[in-house]
């Protein structure tokens, strides 16, 4: 969104992106392992067209691993009709139940067709050491960084390739787990976000909110 605003004419130096403040679920030493104990893929989100769940269902045709889908929305019934036998729908769950599902899954899949803004499920997975496979482009790509794992939005064949590759490679999953947790600690941990917020307030207080161009 910040990049779009800058291209629209707002001075880039006057734009700051501050993530929301989310509690750290555990110290990295307490996180469940990214391999062995975890199985299958997990989707958490609204079941609507822009979330790209239909792409996942097409990708999971012929896959030999499980996909769990958590969430509700206008496409629930039609998606259930399209789903192969290895896809399981759980509806809307509590935050505690979602955390349990994340602890059991080997991979979070985020196949959004839209850019998103700041998908909370991605940073929640990063905090828990859960590897993420996301659509390329948009906010998730910025959150995960260049060392993240991505597939082309809307391309079921690419999603099948990338998901199968990762789910069959314990070492790759472990690397993604460590990378996600490290990025969370570096950019999204509560102390980092709070320091960023205080810095913004300090800058506004010191400048009085004045625009160098004469406005406010």
């Amino acid at each position: 969104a910040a990049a779009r605003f800058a291209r629209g004419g707002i001075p880039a130096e006057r734009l700051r992106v501050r993530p929301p403040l989310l509690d750290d679920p555990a110290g990295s030493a307490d996180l469940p392992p990214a391999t062995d104990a975890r199985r299958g893929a997990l989707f958490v989100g609204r079941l609507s067209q822009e979330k790209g769940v239909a792409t996942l269902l097409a990708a999971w045709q012929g896959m030999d691993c499980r996909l769990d889908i958590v969430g509700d929305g206008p496409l629930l019934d039609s998606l259930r009709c399209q789903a192969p036998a290895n896809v399981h729908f759980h509806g809307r769950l509590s935050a505690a139940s979602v955390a349990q599902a994340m602890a059991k899954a080997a991979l979070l899949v985020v196949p959004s067709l839209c850019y998103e803004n700041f998908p909370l499920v991605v940073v929640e997975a990063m905090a828990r050491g859960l590897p993420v496979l996301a659509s390329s482009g948009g906010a998730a790509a910025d959150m995960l960084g260049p060392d993240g794992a991505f597939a082309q939005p809307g391309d079921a064949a690419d999603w099948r390739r990338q998901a199968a590759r990762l789910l069959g490679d314990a070492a790759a999953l472990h690397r993604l787990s460590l990378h996600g947790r490290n990025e969370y600690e570096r950019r999204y941990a509560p102390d980092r976000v709070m320091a960023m917020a205080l810095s913004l307030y300090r800058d506004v207080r010191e400048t009085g909110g004045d625009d160098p161009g004469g406005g406010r």
Side-chain angles (χ1 to χ4, degrees):
R4 291 291 187 274
F5 290 147
R7 283 201 286 273
I10 298 177
E13 66 273 13
R14 292 186 59 80
L15 292 168
R16 306 276 188 93
V17 177
R18 184 187 67 80
L21 183 63
L22 296 174
D23 289 337
D24 188 348
S28 58
D30 300 322
L31 293 169
T35 58
D36 300 331
R38 291 179 167 183
R39 293 286 184 271
L42 173 69
F43 169 88
V44 179
R46 177 172 165 80
L47 303 183
S48 51
Q49 183 177 0
E50 73 278 5
K51 295 296 186 178
V53 184
T55 301
L56 276 186
L57 300 187
W60 245 255
Q61 295 284 349
M63 291 272 282
D64 60 357
C65 59
R66 179 184 179 102
L67 169 63
D68 289 289
I69 294 181
V70 173
D72 198 358
L75 297 185
L76 175 59
D77 291 339
S78 62
L79 290 172
R80 274 180 170 157
C81 292
Q82 301 172 38
N86 55 351
V87 176
H88 303 268
F89 290 81
H90 301 275
R92 186 189 299 270
L93 298 179
S94 67
S97 295
V98 171
Q100 292 175 358
M102 286 188 168
K104 295 176 182 178
L107 182 68
L108 181 79
V109 285
V110 186
S112 298
L113 301 177
C114 59
Y115 277 114
E116 299 282 1
N117 191 34
F118 188 90
L120 293 178
V121 69
V122 172
V123 75
E124 288 169 354
M126 294 167 69
R128 290 179 167 85
L130 173 59
V132 178
L133 174 62
S135 289
S136 57
D142 178 73
M143 294 165 69
L144 295 167
D147 294 325
F150 306 101
Q152 292 296 316
D155 187 337
D158 192 39
W159 273 90
R160 184 182 297 112
R161 282 193 300 270
Q162 301 302 333
R165 176 181 64 84
L166 290 173
L167 289 169
D169 188 342
L173 288 176
H174 186 64
R175 286 194 299 271
L176 287 175
S177 173
L178 293 178
H179 169 70
R181 176 67 197 185
N182 289 339
E183 284 297 286
Y184 169 80
E185 292 177 352
R186 184 176 72 86
R187 301 171 65 189
Y188 304 124
D191 59 338
R192 301 284 184 169
V193 176
M194 184 61 71
M196 191 183 305
L198 291 174
S199 176
L200 285 172
Y201 292 139
R202 190 178 301 113
D203 289 349
V204 171
R205 184 187 65 188
E206 291 174 354
T207 62
D210 289 336
D211 184 340
R216 294 183 71 82

